[in-house]
Amino acid sequence: GAGVSQSPRYKVTKRGQDVALRCDPISGHVSLYWYRQALGQGPEFLTYFNYEAQQDKSGLPNDRFSAERPEGSISTLTIQRTEQRDSAMYRCASSLQGGLATDTQYFGPGTRLTVL
Amino acid sequence: ELKVEQNPLFLSMQEGKNYTIYCNYSTTSDRLYWYRQDPGKSLESLFVLLSNGAVKQEGRLMASLDTKARLSTLHITAAVHDLSATYFCAVEHGSGNTGKLIFGQGTTLQVKP
């Protein structure tokens, strides 16, 4: 079946511009997660949703970063006034339901963001 | 603050050999995961370990969990070139299914013919 999809796959923007990254989770998955992965590192947690409710946003670096999932399916991660240090791979993951003991997060292909 | 450390960070081995990757974490957690990542690709789930003494095996890979020692191991048996990839362990932060995974730095495995 279809996995997690993300768009765009690559985004190049100039410093100071806003960007919106989209995530389409696996159909029927309740939980959705955003991570950021620097080259040569493991993913770093940003935020997490159950349905449309944002459960944890403790990993968002600052108030330029926000995320929403208004209808409990597709999610958008928005970065305002981008800076060069925001350049990274942004990965989305989804899981059937975060409360299940054996719940597994399935990762999407990522969006490679480059801020010039 | 939960910290997850893997070692080694890089491992070069011959086909047919056995080796173990270690994952230590600093605070109690309910779940531990192992993922595989091929160059330029996304992360693929390998194992979920829930309880002390849990052992799971898939092909040439076997993962185990010792919650008292806060240690998980990923053992590779008779390595083959196809196993070349980066392996991450990830530990769930807090208790009660928080959804927040803390990843280790990754171990890059290179299997030489």
Side-chain angles (χ1 to χ4, degrees):
Chain A
V4 177
S5 61
Q6 294 185 243
S7 61
R9 295 291 307 277
Y10 302 91
K11 177 69 177 178
V12 180
T13 190
K14 291 183 179 179
R15 189 179 54 181
Q17 298 293 306
D18 298 350
V19 294
L21 312 181
R22 173 183 163 130
C23 172
D24 201 341
I26 294 172
S27 178
H29 277 197
V30 166
S31 304
L32 185 147
Y33 314 81
W34 283 99
Y35 291 85
R36 178 168 68 175
Q37 186 175 18
L39 202 61
Q41 301 291 318
E44 173 193 9
F45 173 85
L46 296 177
T47 187
Y48 153 46
F49 292 84
N50 273 342
Y51 299 101
E52 72 281 359
Q54 192 168 22
Q55 301 293 315
D56 184 340
K57 55 181 182 179
S58 62
L60 295 176
N62 51 60
D63 60 8
R64 295 186 298 105
F65 288 74
S66 63
E68 62 175 8
R69 194 186 184 198
E71 298 179 0
S73 180
I74 293 168
S75 176
T76 303
L77 177 70
T78 301
I79 309 172
Q80 295 179 314
R81 305 181 303 280
T82 52
E83 301 177 5
Q84 286 185 327
R85 60 178 171 157
D86 300 333
S87 297
M89 178 71 83
Y90 288 83
R91 295 198 188 273
C92 175
S94 71
S95 70
L96 191 58
Q97 187 160 354
L100 297 175
T102 56
D103 197 52
T104 297
Q105 296 183 23
Y106 296 91
F107 282 79
T111 294
R112 169 72 67 188
L113 175 65
T114 302
V115 182
L116 301 176
Chain B
E1 182 187 352
L2 173 60
K3 293 187 178 178
V4 180
E5 293 188 349
Q6 291 180 233
N7 73 84
L9 299 184
F10 183 80
L11 177 56
S12 180
M13 55 192 297
Q14 296 292 125
E15 276 193 332
K17 298 291 187 182
N18 304 332
Y19 211 83
T20 300
I21 299 170
Y22 297 88
C23 173
N24 288 91
Y25 54 101
S26 59
T27 63
T28 303
S29 174
D30 290 341
R31 290 189 283 194
L32 187 142
Y33 299 80
W34 283 96
Y35 283 89
R36 168 181 171 147
Q37 186 173 35
D38 291 290
K41 303 292 185 183
S42 190
L43 289 88
E44 172 191 355
S45 175
L46 295 174
F47 303 108
V48 181
L49 301 169
L50 301 177
S51 58
N52 189 43
V55 177
K56 290 197 174 178
Q57 183 163 3
E58 180 75 31
R60 300 175 187 273
L61 301 177
M62 183 173 71
S64 66
L65 179 61
D66 181 344
T67 57
K68 293 180 181 177
R70 295 178 190 155
L71 171 69
S72 179
T73 60
L74 181 66
H75 187 73
I76 303 150
T77 302
V80 293
H81 180 70
D82 285 353
L83 290 179
S84 297
T86 297
Y87 294 86
F88 291 98
C89 66
V91 178
E92 188 166 43
H93 182 272
S95 61
N97 303 324
T98 65
K100 179 176 180 177
L101 297 187
I102 306 299
F103 281 79
Q105 314 96 305
T107 297
T108 298
L109 173 65
Q110 184 181 73
V111 181
K112 297 180 179 178

mmCIF file of all heavy atoms in Angstrom, chain B residues 35-71:
data_model
loop_
_atom_site.group_PDB
_atom_site.id
_atom_site.type_symbol
_atom_site.label_atom_id
_atom_site.label_comp_id
_atom_site.label_asym_id
_atom_site.label_seq_id
_atom_site.Cartn_x
_atom_site.Cartn_y
_atom_site.Cartn_z
ATOM 1 N N TYR B 35 16.035 0.964 13.588
ATOM 2 C CA TYR B 35 15.714 1.334 12.216
ATOM 3 C C TYR B 35 16.956 1.150 11.355
ATOM 4 O O TYR B 35 18.093 1.270 11.833
ATOM 5 C CB TYR B 35 15.290 2.806 12.129
ATOM 6 C CG TYR B 35 13.895 3.101 12.596
ATOM 7 C CD1 TYR B 35 13.633 3.395 13.935
ATOM 8 C CD2 TYR B 35 12.833 3.129 11.698
ATOM 9 C CE1 TYR B 35 12.348 3.691 14.361
ATOM 10 C CE2 TYR B 35 11.541 3.426 12.113
ATOM 11 C CZ TYR B 35 11.312 3.696 13.442
ATOM 12 O OH TYR B 35 10.032 3.992 13.858
ATOM 13 N N ARG B 36 16.696 0.947 10.074
ATOM 14 C CA ARG B 36 17.772 0.878 9.085
ATOM 15 C C ARG B 36 17.571 2.019 8.094
ATOM 16 O O ARG B 36 16.443 2.320 7.684
ATOM 17 C CB ARG B 36 17.711 -0.467 8.346
ATOM 18 C CG ARG B 36 18.588 -0.521 7.104
ATOM 19 C CD ARG B 36 18.495 -1.826 6.389
ATOM 20 N NE ARG B 36 19.189 -1.743 5.107
ATOM 21 C CZ ARG B 36 19.824 -2.760 4.538
ATOM 22 N NH1 ARG B 36 19.845 -3.952 5.118
ATOM 23 N NH2 ARG B 36 20.431 -2.598 3.379
ATOM 24 N N GLN B 37 18.686 2.642 7.679
ATOM 25 C CA GLN B 37 18.614 3.683 6.661
ATOM 26 C C GLN B 37 19.691 3.438 5.613
ATOM 27 O O GLN B 37 20.882 3.427 5.939
ATOM 28 C CB GLN B 37 18.793 5.082 7.279
ATOM 29 C CG GLN B 37 18.578 6.210 6.298
ATOM 30 C CD GLN B 37 18.603 7.580 6.953
ATOM 31 O OE1 GLN B 37 19.348 7.825 7.891
ATOM 32 N NE2 GLN B 37 17.782 8.487 6.454
ATOM 33 N N ASP B 38 19.272 3.261 4.357
ATOM 34 C CA ASP B 38 20.207 3.158 3.248
ATOM 35 C C ASP B 38 20.552 4.566 2.774
ATOM 36 O O ASP B 38 19.754 5.493 2.938
ATOM 37 C CB ASP B 38 19.609 2.327 2.121
ATOM 38 C CG ASP B 38 19.478 0.868 2.524
ATOM 39 O OD1 ASP B 38 20.533 0.214 2.642
ATOM 40 O OD2 ASP B 38 18.353 0.400 2.749
ATOM 41 N N PRO B 39 21.723 4.755 2.164
ATOM 42 C CA PRO B 39 22.146 6.094 1.730
ATOM 43 C C PRO B 39 21.093 6.772 0.856
ATOM 44 O O PRO B 39 20.611 6.191 -0.119
ATOM 45 C CB PRO B 39 23.425 5.804 0.951
ATOM 46 C CG PRO B 39 23.945 4.535 1.523
ATOM 47 C CD PRO B 39 22.738 3.723 1.879
ATOM 48 N N GLY B 40 20.743 7.978 1.227
ATOM 49 C CA GLY B 40 19.778 8.745 0.441
ATOM 50 C C GLY B 40 18.341 8.276 0.561
ATOM 51 O O GLY B 40 17.464 8.778 -0.148
ATOM 52 N N LYS B 41 18.098 7.340 1.451
ATOM 53 C CA LYS B 41 16.743 6.786 1.599
ATOM 54 C C LYS B 41 16.148 7.145 2.949
ATOM 55 O O LYS B 41 16.811 7.747 3.795
ATOM 56 C CB LYS B 41 16.790 5.255 1.449
ATOM 57 C CG LYS B 41 17.380 4.780 0.147
ATOM 58 C CD LYS B 41 16.510 5.119 -1.035
ATOM 59 C CE LYS B 41 17.056 4.523 -2.316
ATOM 60 N NZ LYS B 41 16.234 4.909 -3.492
ATOM 61 N N SER B 42 14.901 6.714 3.140
ATOM 62 C CA SER B 42 14.244 6.966 4.414
ATOM 63 C C SER B 42 14.573 5.861 5.418
ATOM 64 O O SER B 42 15.373 4.976 5.136
ATOM 65 C CB SER B 42 12.737 7.063 4.202
ATOM 66 O OG SER B 42 12.119 7.526 5.379
ATOM 67 N N LEU B 43 13.960 5.928 6.585
ATOM 68 C CA LEU B 43 14.217 4.955 7.629
ATOM 69 C C LEU B 43 13.210 3.821 7.540
ATOM 70 O O LEU B 43 12.008 4.049 7.400
ATOM 71 C CB LEU B 43 14.121 5.611 9.010
ATOM 72 C CG LEU B 43 15.238 6.554 9.377
ATOM 73 C CD1 LEU B 43 14.952 7.971 8.902
ATOM 74 C CD2 LEU B 43 15.466 6.556 10.883
ATOM 75 N N GLU B 44 13.721 2.619 7.699
ATOM 76 C CA GLU B 44 12.891 1.419 7.647
ATOM 77 C C GLU B 44 12.887 0.768 9.021
ATOM 78 O O GLU B 44 13.950 0.524 9.607
ATOM 79 C CB GLU B 44 13.474 0.453 6.614
ATOM 80 C CG GLU B 44 12.816 -0.917 6.583
ATOM 81 C CD GLU B 44 13.599 -1.912 5.741
ATOM 82 O OE1 GLU B 44 14.597 -1.510 5.115
ATOM 83 O OE2 GLU B 44 13.232 -3.098 5.729
ATOM 84 N N SER B 45 11.703 0.510 9.542
ATOM 85 C CA SER B 45 11.595 -0.105 10.863
ATOM 86 C C SER B 45 12.070 -1.556 10.826
ATOM 87 O O SER B 45 11.702 -2.314 9.935
ATOM 88 C CB SER B 45 10.144 -0.048 11.328
ATOM 89 O OG SER B 45 9.993 -0.726 12.548
ATOM 90 N N LEU B 46 12.887 -1.918 11.810
ATOM 91 C CA LEU B 46 13.361 -3.302 11.924
ATOM 92 C C LEU B 46 12.686 -4.018 13.110
ATOM 93 O O LEU B 46 12.113 -5.081 12.945
ATOM 94 C CB LEU B 46 14.878 -3.335 12.121
ATOM 95 C CG LEU B 46 15.733 -2.816 10.974
ATOM 96 C CD1 LEU B 46 17.204 -2.780 11.383
ATOM 97 C CD2 LEU B 46 15.546 -3.675 9.733
ATOM 98 N N PHE B 47 12.826 -3.432 14.298
ATOM 99 C CA PHE B 47 12.325 -4.092 15.506
ATOM 100 C C PHE B 47 11.726 -3.078 16.479
ATOM 101 O O PHE B 47 12.169 -1.938 16.540
ATOM 102 C CB PHE B 47 13.465 -4.813 16.247
ATOM 103 C CG PHE B 47 14.204 -5.839 15.430
ATOM 104 C CD1 PHE B 47 15.493 -5.608 14.993
ATOM 105 C CD2 PHE B 47 13.604 -7.052 15.115
ATOM 106 C CE1 PHE B 47 16.182 -6.543 14.253
ATOM 107 C CE2 PHE B 47 14.277 -8.000 14.372
ATOM 108 C CZ PHE B 47 15.563 -7.748 13.932
ATOM 109 N N VAL B 48 10.744 -3.567 17.260
ATOM 110 C CA VAL B 48 10.230 -2.849 18.421
ATOM 111 C C VAL B 48 10.435 -3.750 19.618
ATOM 112 O O VAL B 48 10.001 -4.908 19.599
ATOM 113 C CB VAL B 48 8.727 -2.530 18.292
ATOM 114 C CG1 VAL B 48 8.246 -1.767 19.520
ATOM 115 C CG2 VAL B 48 8.444 -1.765 17.028
ATOM 116 N N LEU B 49 11.084 -3.261 20.652
ATOM 117 C CA LEU B 49 11.348 -4.053 21.856
ATOM 118 C C LEU B 49 10.648 -3.386 23.023
ATOM 119 O O LEU B 49 10.828 -2.190 23.259
ATOM 120 C CB LEU B 49 12.855 -4.139 22.115
ATOM 121 C CG LEU B 49 13.658 -4.769 20.973
ATOM 122 C CD1 LEU B 49 15.147 -4.571 21.209
ATOM 123 C CD2 LEU B 49 13.342 -6.255 20.853
ATOM 124 N N LEU B 50 9.862 -4.167 23.767
ATOM 125 C CA LEU B 50 8.995 -3.574 24.774
ATOM 126 C C LEU B 50 9.382 -3.893 26.207
ATOM 127 O O LEU B 50 9.064 -3.135 27.119
ATOM 128 C CB LEU B 50 7.559 -4.047 24.560
ATOM 129 C CG LEU B 50 6.932 -3.721 23.200
ATOM 130 C CD1 LEU B 50 5.545 -4.317 23.114
ATOM 131 C CD2 LEU B 50 6.891 -2.211 23.012
ATOM 132 N N SER B 51 9.985 -5.030 26.429
ATOM 133 C CA SER B 51 10.145 -5.451 27.817
ATOM 134 C C SER B 51 11.540 -6.005 28.067
ATOM 135 O O SER B 51 12.254 -6.398 27.142
ATOM 136 C CB SER B 51 9.104 -6.520 28.152
ATOM 137 O OG SER B 51 9.247 -7.619 27.279
ATOM 138 N N ASN B 52 11.891 -6.056 29.331
ATOM 139 C CA ASN B 52 13.203 -6.563 29.695
ATOM 140 C C ASN B 52 13.365 -8.003 29.224
ATOM 141 O O ASN B 52 12.487 -8.831 29.428
ATOM 142 C CB ASN B 52 13.384 -6.491 31.210
ATOM 143 C CG ASN B 52 14.814 -6.791 31.616
ATOM 144 O OD1 ASN B 52 15.755 -6.308 30.990
ATOM 145 N ND2 ASN B 52 14.978 -7.588 32.641
ATOM 146 N N GLY B 53 14.481 -8.271 28.595
ATOM 147 C CA GLY B 53 14.743 -9.615 28.101
ATOM 148 C C GLY B 53 14.166 -9.890 26.730
ATOM 149 O O GLY B 53 14.331 -10.990 26.195
ATOM 150 N N ALA B 54 13.483 -8.917 26.154
ATOM 151 C CA ALA B 54 12.879 -9.134 24.823
ATOM 152 C C ALA B 54 13.974 -9.392 23.801
ATOM 153 O O ALA B 54 15.022 -8.753 23.809
ATOM 154 C CB ALA B 54 12.061 -7.911 24.417
ATOM 155 N N VAL B 55 13.711 -10.357 22.952
ATOM 156 C CA VAL B 55 14.622 -10.700 21.860
ATOM 157 C C VAL B 55 13.791 -10.868 20.599
ATOM 158 O O VAL B 55 12.767 -11.557 20.611
ATOM 159 C CB VAL B 55 15.399 -12.000 22.143
ATOM 160 C CG1 VAL B 55 16.282 -12.354 20.936
ATOM 161 C CG2 VAL B 55 16.249 -11.871 23.401
ATOM 162 N N LYS B 56 14.244 -10.227 19.517
ATOM 163 C CA LYS B 56 13.565 -10.400 18.233
ATOM 164 C C LYS B 56 14.609 -10.665 17.162
ATOM 165 O O LYS B 56 15.714 -10.108 17.194
ATOM 166 C CB LYS B 56 12.740 -9.159 17.895
ATOM 167 C CG LYS B 56 11.523 -8.998 18.782
ATOM 168 C CD LYS B 56 10.534 -8.040 18.188
ATOM 169 C CE LYS B 56 9.268 -8.004 19.018
ATOM 170 N NZ LYS B 56 8.282 -7.051 18.504
ATOM 171 N N GLN B 57 14.217 -11.522 16.211
ATOM 172 C CA GLN B 57 15.156 -11.889 15.145
ATOM 173 C C GLN B 57 14.483 -11.804 13.802
ATOM 174 O O GLN B 57 13.311 -12.155 13.643
ATOM 175 C CB GLN B 57 15.691 -13.306 15.369
ATOM 176 C CG GLN B 57 16.740 -13.720 14.340
ATOM 177 C CD GLN B 57 17.559 -14.906 14.779
ATOM 178 O OE1 GLN B 57 17.331 -15.483 15.838
ATOM 179 N NE2 GLN B 57 18.547 -15.266 13.984
ATOM 180 N N GLU B 58 15.240 -11.309 12.825
ATOM 181 C CA GLU B 58 14.781 -11.252 11.453
ATOM 182 C C GLU B 58 15.986 -11.515 10.576
ATOM 183 O O GLU B 58 16.898 -10.685 10.488
ATOM 184 C CB GLU B 58 14.177 -9.890 11.142
ATOM 185 C CG GLU B 58 13.661 -9.730 9.719
ATOM 186 C CD GLU B 58 12.354 -10.437 9.467
ATOM 187 O OE1 GLU B 58 11.547 -10.560 10.400
ATOM 188 O OE2 GLU B 58 12.153 -10.890 8.325
ATOM 189 N N GLY B 59 16.006 -12.690 9.966
ATOM 190 C CA GLY B 59 17.139 -13.038 9.114
ATOM 191 C C GLY B 59 18.436 -13.067 9.910
ATOM 192 O O GLY B 59 18.533 -13.731 10.935
ATOM 193 N N ARG B 60 19.408 -12.299 9.470
ATOM 194 C CA ARG B 60 20.728 -12.280 10.109
ATOM 195 C C ARG B 60 20.832 -11.267 11.243
ATOM 196 O O ARG B 60 21.909 -11.082 11.818
ATOM 197 C CB ARG B 60 21.793 -11.974 9.055
ATOM 198 C CG ARG B 60 21.843 -12.993 7.926
ATOM 199 C CD ARG B 60 22.817 -12.589 6.842
ATOM 200 N NE ARG B 60 22.729 -13.484 5.701
ATOM 201 C CZ ARG B 60 23.398 -14.621 5.587
ATOM 202 N NH1 ARG B 60 24.237 -14.981 6.557
ATOM 203 N NH2 ARG B 60 23.251 -15.384 4.534
ATOM 204 N N LEU B 61 19.757 -10.587 11.546
ATOM 205 C CA LEU B 61 19.747 -9.573 12.595
ATOM 206 C C LEU B 61 18.948 -10.058 13.790
ATOM 207 O O LEU B 61 17.857 -10.603 13.642
ATOM 208 C CB LEU B 61 19.134 -8.269 12.070
ATOM 209 C CG LEU B 61 19.809 -7.600 10.877
ATOM 210 C CD1 LEU B 61 19.025 -6.360 10.459
ATOM 211 C CD2 LEU B 61 21.245 -7.235 11.208
ATOM 212 N N MET B 62 19.528 -9.810 14.979
ATOM 213 C CA MET B 62 18.834 -10.138 16.211
ATOM 214 C C MET B 62 19.001 -8.992 17.183
ATOM 215 O O MET B 62 20.130 -8.542 17.439
ATOM 216 C CB MET B 62 19.380 -11.421 16.841
ATOM 217 C CG MET B 62 18.633 -11.845 18.083
ATOM 218 S SD MET B 62 19.150 -13.449 18.712
ATOM 219 C CE MET B 62 20.775 -13.048 19.330
ATOM 220 N N ALA B 63 17.892 -8.520 17.751
ATOM 221 C CA ALA B 63 17.926 -7.410 18.692
ATOM 222 C C ALA B 63 17.474 -7.891 20.055
ATOM 223 O O ALA B 63 16.577 -8.733 20.166
ATOM 224 C CB ALA B 63 17.028 -6.280 18.207
ATOM 225 N N SER B 64 18.097 -7.332 21.087
ATOM 226 C CA SER B 64 17.719 -7.687 22.455
ATOM 227 C C SER B 64 17.679 -6.433 23.308
ATOM 228 O O SER B 64 18.244 -5.393 22.947
ATOM 229 C CB SER B 64 18.720 -8.688 23.042
ATOM 230 O OG SER B 64 19.983 -8.077 23.186
ATOM 231 N N LEU B 65 16.978 -6.548 24.443
ATOM 232 C CA LEU B 65 16.804 -5.392 25.324
ATOM 233 C C LEU B 65 17.012 -5.805 26.772
ATOM 234 O O LEU B 65 16.416 -6.782 27.238
ATOM 235 C CB LEU B 65 15.399 -4.806 25.155
ATOM 236 C CG LEU B 65 15.042 -3.614 26.024
ATOM 237 C CD1 LEU B 65 15.957 -2.426 25.747
ATOM 238 C CD2 LEU B 65 13.581 -3.221 25.823
ATOM 239 N N ASP B 66 17.841 -5.047 27.466
ATOM 240 C CA ASP B 66 18.041 -5.195 28.908
ATOM 241 C C ASP B 66 17.670 -3.862 29.527
ATOM 242 O O ASP B 66 18.468 -2.920 29.512
ATOM 243 C CB ASP B 66 19.503 -5.564 29.190
ATOM 244 C CG ASP B 66 19.796 -5.757 30.671
ATOM 245 O OD1 ASP B 66 18.981 -5.314 31.497
ATOM 246 O OD2 ASP B 66 20.833 -6.340 31.003
ATOM 247 N N THR B 67 16.460 -3.770 30.077
ATOM 248 C CA THR B 67 15.986 -2.484 30.589
ATOM 249 C C THR B 67 16.690 -2.090 31.883
ATOM 250 O O THR B 67 16.806 -0.904 32.185
ATOM 251 C CB THR B 67 14.471 -2.512 30.838
ATOM 252 O OG1 THR B 67 14.170 -3.582 31.737
ATOM 253 C CG2 THR B 67 13.711 -2.702 29.536
ATOM 254 N N LYS B 68 17.171 -3.079 32.611
ATOM 255 C CA LYS B 68 17.870 -2.757 33.865
ATOM 256 C C LYS B 68 19.212 -2.082 33.572
ATOM 257 O O LYS B 68 19.612 -1.140 34.263
ATOM 258 C CB LYS B 68 18.053 -4.020 34.688
ATOM 259 C CG LYS B 68 16.732 -4.582 35.201
ATOM 260 C CD LYS B 68 16.924 -5.844 36.015
ATOM 261 C CE LYS B 68 15.575 -6.387 36.473
ATOM 262 N NZ LYS B 68 15.707 -7.658 37.223
ATOM 263 N N ALA B 69 19.886 -2.584 32.559
ATOM 264 C CA ALA B 69 21.157 -1.997 32.155
ATOM 265 C C ALA B 69 20.965 -0.833 31.198
ATOM 266 O O ALA B 69 21.924 -0.145 30.845
ATOM 267 C CB ALA B 69 22.042 -3.059 31.502
ATOM 268 N N ARG B 70 19.724 -0.625 30.753
ATOM 269 C CA ARG B 70 19.409 0.412 29.749
ATOM 270 C C ARG B 70 20.297 0.216 28.525
ATOM 271 O O ARG B 70 20.989 1.137 28.064
ATOM 272 C CB ARG B 70 19.573 1.809 30.339
ATOM 273 C CG ARG B 70 18.564 2.078 31.442
ATOM 274 C CD ARG B 70 18.756 3.438 32.060
ATOM 275 N NE ARG B 70 17.936 3.579 33.245
ATOM 276 C CZ ARG B 70 18.216 4.410 34.242
ATOM 277 N NH1 ARG B 70 19.298 5.151 34.197
ATOM 278 N NH2 ARG B 70 17.407 4.486 35.286
ATOM 279 N N LEU B 71 20.230 -1.008 28.013
ATOM 280 C CA LEU B 71 21.102 -1.395 26.910
ATOM 281 C C LEU B 71 20.340 -2.272 25.932
ATOM 282 O O LEU B 71 19.631 -3.200 26.325
ATOM 283 C CB LEU B 71 22.304 -2.179 27.444
ATOM 284 C CG LEU B 71 23.207 -2.851 26.427
ATOM 285 C CD1 LEU B 71 23.970 -1.800 25.621
ATOM 286 C CD2 LEU B 71 24.192 -3.792 27.133
#
